[in-house]
């Protein structure tokens, strides 16, 4: 079904003002012409935008064989573009600036002078976004389509025993716990809605805008829904989210409701919600924004690009992250592979995806050399990764295989212990994110990650959305009478 026939009454759709003038629509379609979607199972190829019977764009999330799709595009450095135009007059294509150095220079120039808002203009500050700064590697759409907060620009904390300065005793405890000298934590919880999901969402909602969508939807364990709700509100689209009832942290639910998304709580788990949302989107022509949507993955690649830039393009030995639906593993892996292919970095980091023991189908497949694809009923305190049948299995499998990576599994007790260390250091994160540190500690203990290797761990979400799981005893603090004696007696303990 064509995308902007949402199946919803018009009054429920976006405002009448659409960004979709015919002229810019044509420009967007032209810009996306060299972009294709490749099936990760049977390798069939589709254009990024397909026209339906009424000439309206029709979204495609899967191949006709049922396989998941991956974006394929041509990366054109702006100077190369200028050069090619000049070449119409003087044919000298040898010196095209496609080297890693030219890309590094482009991205470093964009970060070096902070863009400022000009008065009374709606000019986009794309260089201020930790996603669109790398726009030639993300999505080739005209600037006016881009829906950005902006996002990204999250901290990369040096927390290893050697690379954490003496003045940062708290942060150093994390390096001690992991057993690593050169260790960084990339805190994606510092994104506008508090999780890494904003990076994929800015690309996904931008694509929804290109498609002229009036409503967007996803199934979620809470962070994607909050992000979708925020970006949909910004774009004037209707947000619709399906959540597993009773299994979403309070802050994530509150956020989603506050941003105004229609919030449907399914009496089932995430996998049920995922199945339903795909069906509903296809039936009603609502634009689907789970990581099944290949353009979300493109935006999320920027986590990898930004880490590399923050490390002055010196790739780490390992990149470690929590894994649920496997969108992030697929995205970061793809981004790092592209960075390597473009010569931005000189070697490909190894990727370690960490699952919770009660939700570890990918780990089970990994143990059997990916001979079998598992699914299971998921149970873990880390609700964000409580997923038993991950959608991006094949994409993520490719990442693990190509990066000589590894999948590991940690118990809820390990997750909560690691979370306490991250929280107590003053950095803090949500439970799922702590799987990263739990996994690193385990891999160092087993000798898989060596103590002197450079490791980056991704913290995917903020501490603030889940105010109950893994909080210390007496989390409401100590309550005393308003007297000096009472306060003194507490501080003397
Ligand atoms: N960490 C956090 C905080 C998450 O919210 C998620 C996924 C993950 C890790 C796992 O990433 O699914 O790409 O492997 N949250 C999704 C959601 C499922 O709906 O918010 P993944």
């Amino acid at each position: 079904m064509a995308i902007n026939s949402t199946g919803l009454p018009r009054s429920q759709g976006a405002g009448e003002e659409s960004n979709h003038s015919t002229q810019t629509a044509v420009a967007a379609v032209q810009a996306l012409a060299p972009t294709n979607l490749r099936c990760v199972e049977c390798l069939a190829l589709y254009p990024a935008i397909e026209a339906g019977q009424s000439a309206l764009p029709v979204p495609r999330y899967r191949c006709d064989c049922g396989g998941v799709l991956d974006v394929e595009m041509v990366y054109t450095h702006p100077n190369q573009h200028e050069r090619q135009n000049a070449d119409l007059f003087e044919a000298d294509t040898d010196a095209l600036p496609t080297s890693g150095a030219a890309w590094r220079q482009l991205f470093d120039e964009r970060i070096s002078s902070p863009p400022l808002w000009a008065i009374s203009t709606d000019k986009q500050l794309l260089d201020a976004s930790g996603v669109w700064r790398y726009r030639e590697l993300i999505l080739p759409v005209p600037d006016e389509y881009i829906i950005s907060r902006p996002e990204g620009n999250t901290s990369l904390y040096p927390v290893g025993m050697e690379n954490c300065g003496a003045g940062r005793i708290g942060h150093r405890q994390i390096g001690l716990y992991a057993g690593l000298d050169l260790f960084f934590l990339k805190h994606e919880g510092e994104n506008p809605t508090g999780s890494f999901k904003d990076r994929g969402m800015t690309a996904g909602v931008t694509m929804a805008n290109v498609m002229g969508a009036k409503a967007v939807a996803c199934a979620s364990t809470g962070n994607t829904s909050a992000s979708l709700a925020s970006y949909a509100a910004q774009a004037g689209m209707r947000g619709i989210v399906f959540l597993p009832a009773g299994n979403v942290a309070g802050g994530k639910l509150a956020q989603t409701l506050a941003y105004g998304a229609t919030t449907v709580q399914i009496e089932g788990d995430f996998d049920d919600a995922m199945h339903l949302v795909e069906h509903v989107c296809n039936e009603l022509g609502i634009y689907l924004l789970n990581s099944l949507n290949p353009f979300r993955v493109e935006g999320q690649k920027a986590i990898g690009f930004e880490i590399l830039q923050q490390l002055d393009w010196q790739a780490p030995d390992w990149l470690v992250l929590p894994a649920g639906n496997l969108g992030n593993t697929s995205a970061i892996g793809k981004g790092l592979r592209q960075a390597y292919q473009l010569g931005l970095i000189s070697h490909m980091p190894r990727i370690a995806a960490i699952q919770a023991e009660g939700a570890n189908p990918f780990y089970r497949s990994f143990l059997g050399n990916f001979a079998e694809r598992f699914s299971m009923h998921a149970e873990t305190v880390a609700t964000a990764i409580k997923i038993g049948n991950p959608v991006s299995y094949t994409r993520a499998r490719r990442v693990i295989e190509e990066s000589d990576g590894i999948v590991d599994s940690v118990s809820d007790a390990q997750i909560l212990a690691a979370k306490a260390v991250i929280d107590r250091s003053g950095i803090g994160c949500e439970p799922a994110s702590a799987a990263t540190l739990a996994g690193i500690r385990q891999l160092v203990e087993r000798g898989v990650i060596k103590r002197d290797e450079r490791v980056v761990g991704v913290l995917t979400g903020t501490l603030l959305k889940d105010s109950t799981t893994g909080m210390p005893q007496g989390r409401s603090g100590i309550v005393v009478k308003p007297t000096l004696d009472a306060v003194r007696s507490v501080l003397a303990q």
Side-chain angles (χ1 to χ4, degrees):
M1 177 178 281
I3 195 64
N4 63 352
S5 126
T6 60
L8 301 168
R10 192 165 174 79
S11 59
Q12 293 181 350
E16 298 302 304
E17 290 165 34
S18 160
N19 293 349
H20 223 248
S21 78
T22 314
Q23 219 178 9
T24 50
V26 170
V29 171
Q30 272 172 358
L32 284 162
T35 304
N36 291 303
L37 300 175
R38 170 88 64 189
C39 173
V40 298
E41 305 291 349
C42 76
L43 306 183
L45 199 64
Y46 302 93
I49 298 186
E50 292 174 58
Q53 283 168 345
S54 54
L56 288 171
V58 179
R60 175 179 282 281
Y61 315 110
R62 287 189 190 270
C63 176
D64 290 344
C65 81
V68 166
L69 300 165
D70 195 22
V71 175
E72 276 188 4
M73 62 186 196
V74 181
Y75 306 112
T76 311
H77 190 290
N79 293 353
Q80 185 182 359
H81 196 72
E82 283 163 25
R83 193 60 194 239
Q84 273 167 348
N85 290 342
D87 286 343
L88 293 175
F89 305 100
E90 39 173 300
D92 166 19
T93 48
D94 286 348
L96 294 180
T98 50
S99 68
W103 285 110
R104 285 194 294 268
Q105 188 186 349
L106 175 69
F107 301 141
D108 288 347
E109 274 169 12
R110 286 180 180 167
I111 213 170
S112 60
S113 51
L116 300 172
W117 290 109
I119 294 166
S120 73
T121 171
D122 62 355
K123 181 173 160 295
Q124 296 263 13
L125 298 183
L126 296 183
D127 294 353
S129 161
V131 172
W132 298 104
R133 178 178 307 132
Y134 314 101
R135 49 194 170 274
E136 290 80 5
L137 312 185
I138 304 287
L139 195 63
V141 287
D143 294 0
E144 57 269 34
Y145 278 90
I146 293 176
I147 309 289
S148 167
R149 287 286 298 261
E151 44 291 307
N153 303 309
T154 58
S155 302
L156 184 68
Y157 295 101
V159 293
M161 290 183 279
E162 225 171 76
N163 68 339
C164 188
R168 299 165 65 239
I169 295 165
H171 292 187
R172 205 151 164 271
Q173 298 307 311
I174 299 175
L176 277 168
Y177 188 76
L180 287 173
D181 290 336
L182 299 171
F183 181 24
F184 297 86
L185 281 179
K186 175 70 169 164
H187 207 326
E188 286 294 292
E190 295 175 1
N191 270 292
T193 75
S195 85
F196 71 101
K197 301 290 182 181
D198 294 339
R199 295 190 188 252
M201 202 52 72
T202 181
V205 173
T206 293
M207 200 57 198
N209 200 21
V210 168
M211 303 287 275
K214 297 207 171 15
V216 289
C218 71
S220 176
T221 54
N223 279 322
T224 306
S225 60
S227 186
L228 176 144
S230 165
Y231 281 81
Q234 178 177 346
M237 295 172 192
R238 180 177 183 188
I240 302 165
V241 304
F242 290 11
L243 304 176
N247 274 298
V248 174
K252 298 176 185 176
L253 179 58
Q255 212 183 354
T256 305
L257 291 166
Y259 292 142
T262 303
T263 304
V264 187
Q265 304 220 40
I266 307 286
E267 288 177 359
D269 57 18
F270 170 84
D271 302 296
D272 295 324
M274 184 65 230
H275 178 74
L276 280 167
V277 79
E278 192 180 345
H279 196 87
V280 167
C281 282
N282 284 329
E283 192 175 295
L284 300 182
I286 300 165
Y287 193 61
L288 177 65
L289 279 176
N290 274 96
S291 54
L292 178 62
N293 183 314
F295 298 103
R296 281 251 337 263
V297 171
E298 294 308 292
Q300 254 161 247
K301 292 187 314 194
I303 303 175
F305 300 147
E306 197 173 272
I307 290 170
L308 296 176
Q309 188 164 26
Q310 286 170 312
L311 292 174
D312 199 18
W313 308 107
Q314 306 294 312
D317 298 307
W318 287 92
L319 192 137
V320 187
L321 77 168
N325 213 18
L326 300 178
N328 211 23
T329 306
S330 310
I332 293 189
K334 185 176 180 188
L336 294 176
R337 187 170 70 239
Q338 285 173 348
Y340 177 59
Q341 285 165 346
L342 289 169
L344 277 159
I345 50 173
S346 60
H347 75 269
M348 177 72 195
R350 296 180 71 185
I351 296 187
I354 314 296
Q355 295 211 288
E357 208 169 74
N360 64 1
F362 193 48
Y363 171 69
R364 293 177 189 204
S365 297
F366 171 78
L367 286 184
N369 273 331
F370 294 116
E372 207 180 329
R373 180 175 175 167
F374 288 92
S375 65
M376 61 194 285
H377 174 74
E379 265 320 322
T380 166
V381 288
T383 50
I385 50 174
K386 191 173 164 184
I387 295 171
N389 188 15
V391 162
S392 292
Y393 169 86
T394 308
R395 291 172 181 153
R397 169 190 167 169
R398 184 175 166 201
V399 162
I400 298 300
E401 287 176 337
E402 285 187 353
S403 74
D404 188 21
I406 192 164
V407 186
D408 209 349
S409 175
V410 290
S411 67
D412 280 358
Q414 286 173 289
I415 290 174
L416 293 179
K419 173 174 158 58
V421 172
I422 297 166
D423 289 352
R424 187 70 187 78
S425 80
I427 291 178
C429 68
E430 74 159 272
S433 307
T436 292
L437 180 60
I440 290 172
R441 181 176 154 98
Q442 182 161 285
L443 290 169
V444 172
E445 272 169 5
R446 289 198 195 133
V448 178
I449 298 181
K450 308 281 179 297
R451 181 190 161 137
D452 58 351
E453 286 185 304
R454 282 171 91 227
V455 179
V456 174
V458 183
L459 298 180
T460 42
T462 178
L463 163 85
L464 293 171
K465 299 192 197 194
D466 186 342
S467 59
T468 50
T469 314
M471 289 294 165
Q473 289 297 310
R475 61 178 177 267
S476 50
I478 302 163
V479 182
V480 295
K481 294 256 179 299
T483 65
L484 266 179
D485 277 350
V487 171
R488 278 195 198 107
S489 71
V490 169
L491 298 185
Q493 284 167 21

